[in-house]
Amino acid sequence: MEAFGRLLDVLDRLRKECPWDRKQTNESLRPNTIEETYELCDALIRDDQKEICKELGDVLLHVCFYAKIGEEKETFDVADVCNKLCDKLIFRHPHVYGEAVANSVQQVLETWEQIKLKEKDGNKRVLSGVPASLPSLIKSYRIQDKARNVGFDWEERRDVWDKVREELGELEAELEAADKEKAEAEFGDFLFSLINAARLYHINPDNALEKANQKFIRRFNYIEDHSLKQGRPLADMSLEEMDRLWNEAKSQEADA
């Protein structure tokens, strides 16, 4: 593809002639890669097609940059990256490239982890494929999802609510006892059970929480805008005034 070749040519020249690009290593690029990935996620949440295109380019640059560093170390190059990916995709889709049958998304998901365990260089344990550096909420979801793929799951999803209530009761007991360490542990168990419930009801908890974050920001900004128009510090507003403005913002969202 001509455009991809152009990108590689530009990167080659930057690596040779730009002091900043020439200096970069895997270690120095890693924080920027994380930032670029989150910027892409922000654009995806907003469904901003122009920004998605831009941020995909930034992420692709980082993929090519790591491949270029690998080429310089004579360990791998971008062709190796592409070929290994293609080999993996073909191997993990026997219902497309082989004789296996999968007539639903669920069937594909159920066999995916089993196939990964059979790969020569794959993960030897079911949960070892979950990156340690994942944010805790996403990690929890992935842990539970991987366990589900090998049959470790609730038989009836409604039964999860008994577990949620059980964990909430244990959390409340530790909060009453004022044992901070135990309360923190129980709070973690409670969150884990809520994430499990979200998974069972096909709700992505990370997306759900981010929508709640954005909703709170919109409504809080509405309150702050009114305080600025009145020339009053937000801290001088009473809780009753804030509640009234909050409900106004909520009502406007419902009418929109």
Side-chain angles (χ1 to χ4, degrees), residues 91 115-124:
F91 183 77
I115 292 172
K116 285 178 68 175
L117 291 172
K118 293 177 182 177
E119 289 176 334
K120 181 179 179 181
D121 297 323
N123 301 307
K124 302 303 180 183

Side-chain angles (χ1 to χ4, degrees), residues 198-211:
R199 176 186 61 81
L200 288 164
Y201 284 84
H202 309 294
I203 295 170
N204 184 301
D206 189 63
N207 290 345
L209 182 58
E210 181 54 25
K211 288 178 180 178

Side-chain angles (χ1 to χ4, degrees), residues 121-178:
D121 297 323
N123 301 307
K124 302 303 180 183
R125 291 181 177 271
V126 173
L127 301 182
S128 61
V130 180
S133 58
L134 271 181
S136 296
L137 191 149
I138 299 173
K139 185 192 295 185
S140 177
Y141 186 91
R142 291 294 294 130
I143 287 170
Q144 296 170 10
D145 198 46
K146 281 182 174 289
R148 174 191 63 83
N149 286 333
V150 293
F152 189 75
D153 204 2
W154 299 89
E155 291 186 4
E156 298 290 338
R157 66 181 184 180
R158 64 176 178 271
D159 294 340
V160 74
W161 296 112
D162 290 334
K163 186 62 175 176
V164 171
R165 284 186 283 269
E166 174 190 330
E167 296 297 351
L168 177 58
E170 293 177 359
L171 169 60
E172 289 176 334
E174 295 302 341
L175 289 172
E176 283 291 323

Side-chain angles (χ1 to χ4, degrees), residues 19-252:
W20 186 90
D21 289 276
R22 191 165 56 239
K23 182 181 178 182
Q24 298 313 303
T25 65
N26 287 339
E27 292 74 20
S28 68
L29 282 173
R30 180 178 174 274
N32 292 338
T33 305
I34 295 171
E35 181 178 346
E36 296 296 353
T37 303
Y38 276 110
E39 289 178 356
L40 171 60
C41 290
D42 288 344
L44 290 168
I45 289 172
R46 298 194 307 273
D47 194 27
D48 187 328
Q49 297 299 309
K50 184 176 179 181
E51 281 299 304
I52 290 172
C53 180
K54 172 182 172 294
E55 298 301 341
L56 281 172
D58 291 342
V59 172
L60 178 58
L61 170 61
H62 280 248
V63 172
C64 293
F65 215 136
Y66 290 118
K68 178 63 180 176
I69 293 171
E71 180 183 351
E72 293 167 356
K73 293 181 177 180
E74 298 184 348
T75 53
F76 65 90
D77 59 19
V78 72
D80 295 320
V81 173
C82 293
N83 285 325
K84 284 182 179 295
L85 175 59
C86 288
D87 291 343
K88 180 169 67 175
L89 290 173
I90 291 170
F91 183 77
R92 293 185 185 179
H93 291 79
H95 52 289
V96 176
Y97 292 96
E99 309 245 338
V101 176
N103 295 318
S104 68
V105 172
Q106 187 59 36
Q107 286 180 306
V108 173
L109 293 174
E110 286 174 355
T111 58
W112 182 270
E113 295 297 334
Q114 298 290 341
I115 292 172
K116 285 178 68 175
L117 291 172
K118 293 177 182 177
E119 289 176 334
K120 181 179 179 181
D121 297 323
N123 301 307
K124 302 303 180 183
R125 291 181 177 271
V126 173
L127 301 182
S128 61
V130 180
S133 58
L134 271 181
S136 296
L137 191 149
I138 299 173
K139 185 192 295 185
S140 177
Y141 186 91
R142 291 294 294 130
I143 287 170
Q144 296 170 10
D145 198 46
K146 281 182 174 289
R148 174 191 63 83
N149 286 333
V150 293
F152 189 75
D153 204 2
W154 299 89
E155 291 186 4
E156 298 290 338
R157 66 181 184 180
R158 64 176 178 271
D159 294 340
V160 74
W161 296 112
D162 290 334
K163 186 62 175 176
V164 171
R165 284 186 283 269
E166 174 190 330
E167 296 297 351
L168 177 58
E170 293 177 359
L171 169 60
E172 289 176 334
E174 295 302 341
L175 289 172
E176 283 291 323
D179 188 321
K180 184 177 180 180
E181 186 174 342
K182 288 183 179 179
E184 183 179 274
E186 293 299 341
F187 195 86
D189 291 344
F190 177 59
L191 286 178
F192 193 88
S193 67
L194 278 178
I195 293 166
N196 209 359
R199 176 186 61 81
L200 288 164
Y201 284 84
H202 309 294
I203 295 170
N204 184 301
D206 189 63
N207 290 345
L209 182 58
E210 181 54 25
K211 288 178 180 178
N213 289 339
Q214 294 302 319
K215 180 167 58 179
F216 184 92
I217 290 170
R218 286 194 307 271
R219 294 176 183 177
F220 192 84
N221 284 346
Y222 183 86
I223 297 171
E224 191 170 21
D225 287 344
H226 277 70
S227 74
L228 292 172
K229 288 177 184 176
Q230 297 172 16
R232 298 171 58 194
L234 188 58
D236 287 351
M237 272 194 177
S238 68
L239 183 57
E240 289 75 19
E241 288 177 294
M242 290 185 183
D243 281 340
R244 178 179 58 78
L245 290 168
W246 178 277
N247 289 327
E248 280 184 17
K250 183 177 180 179
S251 177
Q252 289 181 13

Side-chain angles (χ1 to χ4, degrees), residues 11-19 21-22 68 72:
L11 183 57
D12 281 345
R13 182 169 182 179
L14 292 177
R15 188 68 171 165
K16 292 175 183 176
E17 300 181 20
C18 173
D21 289 276
R22 191 165 56 239
K68 178 63 180 176
E72 293 167 356

